[in-house]
Amino acid sequence: AARSGLPGERGVEPASFGEEGVALMSASDDWDPRVRRLYDYWNRLRGRDGSPPSRSAFDPLEVPDLLRWIWMVDVVHDPIRFRFRLMGTAHVDQMGREVTGEWIDEVFPSFTESASYRDYVSIATTLEPSYRKGPAEYHVADYNIIERLIMPMVRPGHRCNVLLAITVYHDPIHHVSPDRWLTPQAGG
């Protein structure tokens, strides 16, 4: 699956479309400021060797205004499986229920067949963040476009044990074809 480049790249690259027509961007300058801010905070927490930070390094008091959009997932290995650790109130509101503590594949039975599952596995194994902007894949019916960033967090030994994420819900874009999602529209 196509994934964006890492933040910090300069210049705008054209949108590409990965699996299932998901629009991907590589230009961090175009990210929602909330998404960019969490990435910048996560990046400051990274080790000197560039390794992802540990969960214990994350201090929610450093980003209190972002908490409603932040979510975390526990990564369990051998075999790999994902459990909701924390869901910000924006997500609870959108999903209509609290899912903290539940296995993702039990909340969303088709999860393991999805592009999102493959992305989670990739993030947990490569320790590289993933950015995505496009239609919600399975859990938010009222919005056509979401913007999300998922970043790995590691325990000693550099094995991913938590995914730190932010998802921002954008108002629906009516009657806009996927090839124009990331293109500025006249008058808007």
Side-chain angles (χ1 to χ4, degrees), residues 34-48:
R34 295 165 287 187
V35 173
R36 177 60 193 237
R37 189 156 155 252
L38 186 63
Y39 175 78
D40 289 344
Y41 173 67
W42 176 87
N43 203 36
R44 284 192 307 274
L45 299 176
R46 293 177 81 152
R48 289 180 188 222

Side-chain angles (χ1 to χ4, degrees), residues 79-93:
I80 198 161
R81 199 166 178 211
F82 304 95
R83 180 179 41 234
F84 289 115
R85 179 188 189 107
L86 169 81
M87 289 302 269
T89 57
H91 310 302
V92 173
D93 292 346

